[in-house]
Amino acid sequence: MTRPFVRLVAVTATVTLAITAAGCSSESSGGSASTSSLSVGFVAEPANLDFTSTDGAAIPQALLVNVYEGLVKLDQDGKVVPLLAESWDISPDRKTYTFHLRDNVTFTNGKKFTADDVVFSINRVKTDWKVSLKSAMDVVANAAKKDDTTAVVTLTKPSNSWLYKMTTRIGAIFSRDGVADLANKPIGTGPYKLDSWRRGDAITYSANENYWGTKPKVGKVVLKYFKDATALNNALLTGGIDVISTVQAPESIQQFSDTSKYEVIEGTTTGEVLLSFNNSKAPLDNKLVRQAIRYAIDHKALLDTAWAGRGQLIGSMVPPTDPWYEDLTNLYPHDPAKAKELLAQAGQSNLKLRLRIPNLPYAVASAQVVKSQLAAVGITVDIEPLEFPARWLDVVFKQADYDMSIINHVEPRDITAIFGNKNYYLRYNNPKVQELFAKADSGTEDEQVAGMKEAARIISEDAAGDFLFLFPNLIVAKKGTTGLPKNLVSESFDLSVLSPSEA
């Protein structure tokens, strides 16, 4: 992932929701939260609750917009909209942002939210954060308080991406008195607060009774963690849960064909399932070898076999929801003969590669197909599943001790973090790509689209990785459950809009 920064995966975790009590209707701002309860299940538990020092998408997926809030967030269309900031102004030179803050907000520790917390949080990303994702805040020259409800942020140069990045975890606002134990005691302004965490089992949230905005529709949410996809499905089939929010066994979807009991929601995500290459280490520091691997893989067959055809082939690190998307699936058509030819040119015979993957369903299933298809061109692949997140993050992400891996990079617009940082776990270092990213970020809107599109094509042509498929948003819910998103556009899973079925 990136972090280096972990731009990565755990979205890939499966979210499931279960009702343990009767549902109540939504309350407006100022009312009390519902007394109903939901249980939300994942297949990958966070290592801890501190995304400022620990990589992994499972942490912000659980905490962002639920416990922590930022000045802005993404709506369901992927548009940046107000959150803790009621509005903002941008100077003509596009370097100064003036945020007008809500004045009726308190943290769950009872402290009032002011511009001081905004300045504290932005500066802390630059000085205290440990993950490489913090680099998105490097463009900030200064953050200052004008008054309690006005914060002014000055950039070193215009940035098309900075405000968008503020919708992610780096934009989370922390209480100045609430960062002593982030790994275990998150303190935010969101609609929920942490009640308890039974490691290996569940995280429990309760509604924040002092929440400034619309009260959550569910009074209690339990994030349940399952070991595998079968257990997840069985929980829904036996009535133990009410929603599987990210199906981890898509071939089993027919189990929920009774439309009187279940409904299936299928949409898209920003998660690119990437066959990662260690670009700095032989033999994958050789472009010919990387290209051979891309030609050896039949992506449609892989998607059909590994993920029951659910998902989309994209050919690059850009999902169709981004303005600079270009269908690059034809750059490397399946051509085993071409793959063998390139391997011969590279002087490689009897090539052996280590494929070190997270022990998550999509990675395990995809790895088997990759191994089979590469064997057909003379490459032997040794698959080694690693416990996720801790073991994979340590061995692959931090140490880059691998040849290939498979990971679902779920964060939105993550191409710059993954392929623009030479220290990222892929160790991809292309000055031309880095220059294009920089110019695209500071240019006009048209220049941004053109520059990002060119960079994405170079990365794909360079075979810096192999883009297996775009991960689908596949939900199975008990009939009547509402608030579940068709498309996932951010790294958070908004619990506050969910409402249980009354059936």
Side-chain angles (χ1 to χ4, degrees):
M1 314 222 184
T2 282
R3 314 200 138 60
F5 128 32
V6 109
R7 220 177 170 45
L8 95 134
V9 209
V11 64
T12 169
T14 280
V15 189
T16 68
L17 308 160
I19 295 173
T20 56
C24 296
S25 62
S26 130
E27 300 286 343
S28 62
S29 178
S32 60
S34 166
T35 57
S36 63
S37 176
L38 286 174
S39 178
V40 182
F42 296 80
V43 296
E45 182 179 13
N48 60 61
L49 302 180
D50 181 9
F51 53 64
T52 76
S53 64
T54 305
D55 294 312
I59 310 175
Q61 187 182 43
L63 293 175
L64 201 58
V65 308
N66 296 316
V67 174
Y68 292 116
E69 295 181 307
L71 298 176
V72 291
K73 70 173 184 177
L74 294 179
D75 66 11
Q76 279 302 303
D77 296 320
K79 179 182 177 182
V80 179
V81 296
L83 193 52
L84 290 178
E86 292 184 319
S87 63
W88 59 91
D89 304 312
I90 305 175
S91 63
D93 66 1
R94 298 164 51 217
K95 293 182 6 180
T96 302
Y97 289 71
T98 301
F99 293 96
H100 307 286
L101 311 177
R102 301 184 189 278
D103 63 2
N104 60 334
V105 179
T106 58
F107 290 94
T108 52
N109 63 357
K111 301 292 185 179
K112 182 176 175 58
F113 160 70
T114 71
D116 289 313
D117 300 297
V118 175
V119 173
F120 169 78
S121 298
I122 289 175
N123 287 338
R124 193 170 183 276
V125 174
K126 296 167 68 71
T127 60
D128 287 41
W129 281 44
K130 307 301 182 186
V131 297
S132 68
L133 181 61
K134 64 179 286 186
S135 63
M137 205 67 86
D138 289 349
V139 72
V140 173
N142 184 58
K145 170 186 175 181
K146 182 177 180 181
D147 55 47
D148 277 356
T149 58
T150 311
V152 181
V153 179
T154 304
L155 309 184
T156 59
K157 58 185 178 180
S159 173
N160 292 311
S161 65
W162 180 74
L163 188 65
Y164 189 93
K165 295 294 186 183
M166 288 294 285
T167 69
T168 70
R169 69 197 80 170
I170 69 159
I173 301 299
F174 297 86
S175 168
R176 288 162 289 159
D177 301 315
V179 296
D181 190 9
L182 293 176
N184 300 292
K185 298 178 181 179
I187 295 171
T189 60
Y192 286 103
K193 59 184 179 181
L194 177 69
D195 275 357
S196 63
W197 182 11
R198 297 190 306 275
R199 294 179 185 271
D201 180 27
I203 295 173
T204 301
Y205 293 155
S206 61
N208 176 6
E209 61 273 14
N210 296 316
Y211 184 55
W212 61 268
T214 301
K215 304 302 181 186
K217 297 181 178 181
V218 180
K220 178 182 179 181
V221 179
V222 181
L223 282 67
K224 290 284 292 181
Y225 294 93
F226 293 84
K227 294 297 184 183
D228 57 61
T230 300
L232 207 61
N233 285 357
N234 287 340
L236 179 58
L237 289 168
T238 58
I241 63 174
D242 293 274
V243 181
I244 300 174
S245 72
T246 304
V247 172
Q248 293 295 307
E251 72 281 358
S252 66
I253 202 74
Q254 68 275 8
Q255 292 179 289
F256 309 103
S257 59
D258 187 343
T259 56
S260 67
K261 293 182 178 179
Y262 310 108
E263 55 185 307
V264 177
I265 301 170
E266 186 166 7
T268 63
T269 73
T270 57
E272 306 96 346
V273 179
L274 178 69
L275 177 61
S276 310
F277 299 151
N278 191 334
N279 285 264
S280 66
K281 179 180 178 181
L284 293 175
D285 58 346
N286 188 327
K287 181 177 177 179
L288 294 174
V289 176
R290 300 195 305 268
Q291 289 179 315
I293 293 173
R294 293 205 67 189
Y295 278 117
I297 293 176
D298 183 339
H299 295 86
K300 184 179 186 305
L302 182 145
L303 181 59
D304 289 343
T305 303
W307 220 239
R310 309 278 180 165
Q312 182 177 350
L313 303 181
I314 50 178
S316 76
M317 202 66 186
V318 183
T321 48
D322 284 349
W324 39 88
Y325 170 73
E326 180 182 9
D327 184 352
L328 299 179
T329 54
N330 290 327
L331 279 182
Y332 287 90
H334 182 223
D335 190 340
K338 180 69 172 178
K340 292 178 181 179
E341 178 185 330
L342 289 169
L343 288 172
Q345 290 180 27
Q348 292 289 346
S349 59
N350 300 317
L351 183 61
K352 296 182 179 180
L353 297 173
R354 296 175 304 160
L355 179 54
R356 310 187 86 171
I357 61 171
N359 61 341
L360 295 169
Y362 73 88
V364 173
S366 297
Q368 297 298 329
V369 181
V370 169
K371 177 176 181 174
S372 175
Q373 293 184 349
L374 294 190
V377 300
I379 299 175
T380 300
V381 174
D382 179 22
I383 300 173
E384 183 182 354
L386 302 174
E387 182 272 328
F388 186 89
R391 181 70 173 152
W392 187 92
L393 286 173
D394 179 49
V395 173
V396 176
F397 192 75
K398 294 181 180 179
Q399 299 181 43
D401 183 9
Y402 77 106
D403 297 319
M404 301 187 297
S405 188
I406 297 175
I407 200 73
N408 179 10
H409 286 268
V410 304
E411 293 84 349
R413 299 187 183 180
D414 52 6
I415 185 173
T416 56
I418 294 170
F419 293 102
N421 178 0
K422 66 180 181 180
N423 296 317
Y424 198 63
Y425 82 102
L426 279 84
R427 301 294 195 265
Y428 179 68
N429 184 14
N430 188 322
K432 175 62 174 178
V433 167
Q434 294 162 15
E435 180 184 4
L436 284 168
F437 283 155
K439 289 183 176 180
D441 191 42
S442 61
T444 65
E445 184 176 329
D446 288 343
E447 289 170 341
Q448 180 190 26
V449 171
M452 294 296 291
K453 186 176 290 187
E454 182 180 355
R457 176 174 280 272
I458 291 173
I459 291 166
S460 187
E461 290 175 342
D462 214 16
D466 190 55
F467 315 96
L468 300 181
F469 60 95
L470 186 72
F471 201 78
N473 183 40
L474 189 58
I475 297 172
V476 181
K478 181 178 179 181
K479 197 76 172 178
T481 305
T482 62
L484 295 164
K486 178 177 175 60
N487 300 316
L488 290 179
V489 298
S490 74
E491 58 181 349
S492 61
F493 190 88
D494 189 350
L495 302 169
S496 67
V497 298
L498 301 179
S499 183
S501 166
E502 296 182 358

